[in-house]
Amino acid sequence: MSSPELVLRVLRTQLRAAGITYKMLAERIGMSESSVKRMFGQHDMSLSRLALICKASGIAMEDVLRGAADITPHADTLTLIQEKSLIAHPRLLLVAICCLGHWSLEQVVETYALTQAECIGYLAELDRLGLIELKPLNRYSLRVSNAFHWLADGPVQQYFREYVVADYFSGHFDGAGETLMCIPARLSLSSAQELVQKIRQLAEELARLHQSDRRLAPQERDGFTLLLGFRSWEFAAFTALRRSPAAALHAAPAASYQTGPRNR
């Protein structure tokens, strides 16, 4: 589906939400109802016409364009080559992560020791790599979906394991909106797969909240990171305390007698 179709789909949805019919819209912009219907049906609308309709309807044109961008199909991951290019230059990776968080050029330069020229250069490189589409006035839009994730065991995840995980878990996790849980369980494979699906749903919910809170002022938001992992695992120090197979076999009858049901 092309961009004009997406824009008109979002506009139609917002008009419906505002209770504005084609007839009402036609009266407000000085067109016939049939012409308005044809314009939407043929997906034929100039930018100036879109601006006129938004103004007449009390709908923010920026919200329409952003809504269309949000539903445009994009890739969920980068390629192996793209990820390798990012980790080859840690500052480029930093700017990439900022872009995934929808930071503006001004916010990046104010926060980190990068000049504006350097940051623009990194944005241009990210455009070349296909992570963003660089636009006039150094604005950009993402070329990846809201469900974006790094390649499993790819270069970026390997980089995070080596340099980021220890730093992340060195915190106390006791601030407002923070938590840390380590919950062991014995599950069947089907139950484990069900939980993985719920974890994916949680990631989708985080993406939805992230998208929704973009409307707030920068000072009303803070940077949060959700680090999820779920695997069949036992702490090595605990594994070292496991009985040998022979010892476990010898201890089995006693364990069964102590924990099993009593004979009646």
Side-chain angles (χ1 to χ4, degrees):
M1 185 175 289
S2 66
S3 295
E5 290 177 283
L6 291 174
V7 169
L8 289 179
R9 190 211 299 183
V10 173
L11 178 59
R12 188 183 296 113
T13 299
Q14 297 212 12
L15 287 170
R16 190 180 298 118
I20 299 174
T21 64
Y22 284 151
K23 181 178 180 180
M24 295 167 61
L25 178 61
E27 292 173 351
R28 295 185 187 187
I29 63 176
M31 293 179 65
S32 66
E33 183 179 357
S34 60
S35 295
V36 170
K37 288 182 178 179
R38 184 167 54 253
M39 183 170 56
F40 276 89
Q42 296 178 350
H43 309 115
D44 181 17
M45 184 182 296
S46 65
L47 196 59
S48 60
R49 181 77 70 184
L50 174 63
L52 175 63
I53 291 175
C54 289
K55 183 177 180 180
S57 307
I59 295 171
M61 182 173 169
E62 181 183 79
D63 290 344
V64 175
L65 296 176
R66 180 181 296 160
D70 290 343
I71 61 176
T72 300
H74 290 302
D76 292 340
T77 64
L78 298 179
T79 66
L80 182 65
I81 293 175
Q82 288 171 320
E83 285 202 3
K84 285 182 176 179
S85 297
L86 288 180
I87 65 166
H89 305 283
R91 291 192 172 198
L92 180 62
L93 177 60
L94 166 65
V95 177
I97 292 173
C98 288
C99 288
L100 291 171
H102 300 283
W103 287 41
S104 68
L105 170 70
E106 294 76 16
Q107 288 174 310
V108 177
V109 173
E110 288 173 3
T111 305
Y112 298 106
L114 296 173
T115 67
Q116 186 178 62
E118 285 176 320
C119 196
I120 292 172
Y122 291 133
L123 290 176
E125 179 63 13
L126 293 175
D127 177 89
R128 189 189 68 79
L129 288 173
L131 180 71
I132 66 171
E133 179 182 351
L134 191 56
K135 298 184 175 183
L137 302 178
N138 301 315
R139 301 306 183 216
Y140 64 88
S141 61
L142 291 176
R143 286 181 175 170
V144 294
S145 74
N146 288 335
F148 173 79
H149 56 276
W150 302 110
L151 292 173
D153 202 32
V156 174
Q157 279 204 2
Q158 292 174 14
Y159 180 89
F160 286 166
R161 277 199 295 269
E162 186 173 355
Y163 298 104
V164 176
V165 172
D167 184 66
Y168 181 85
F169 283 108
S170 66
H172 296 292
F173 294 85
D174 56 357
E178 297 182 357
T179 186
L180 174 65
M181 293 182 286
C182 182
I183 306 172
R186 296 187 65 81
L187 301 175
S188 65
L189 179 59
S190 62
S191 293
Q193 291 172 334
E194 179 181 343
L195 189 61
V196 168
Q197 182 59 37
K198 292 184 182 299
I199 289 174
R200 292 197 177 107
Q201 292 171 359
L202 176 61
E204 291 172 0
E205 178 65 9
L206 176 62
R208 185 192 68 79
L209 293 171
H210 173 70
Q211 191 71 20
S212 175
D213 285 356
R214 285 175 59 190
R215 308 172 194 169
L216 302 175
Q219 61 270 22
E220 296 182 71
R221 295 173 290 160
D222 197 0
F224 286 85
T225 298
L226 178 65
L227 183 60
L228 289 172
F230 182 66
R231 57 175 289 213
S232 175
W233 169 81
E234 182 180 54
F235 183 39
F238 295 167
T239 302
L241 295 175
R242 280 181 172 263
R243 297 177 184 274
S244 65
L249 182 63
H250 178 73
S256 176
Y257 175 79
Q258 292 170 4
T259 61
R262 292 182 179 180
N263 293 326
R264 294 187 180 274

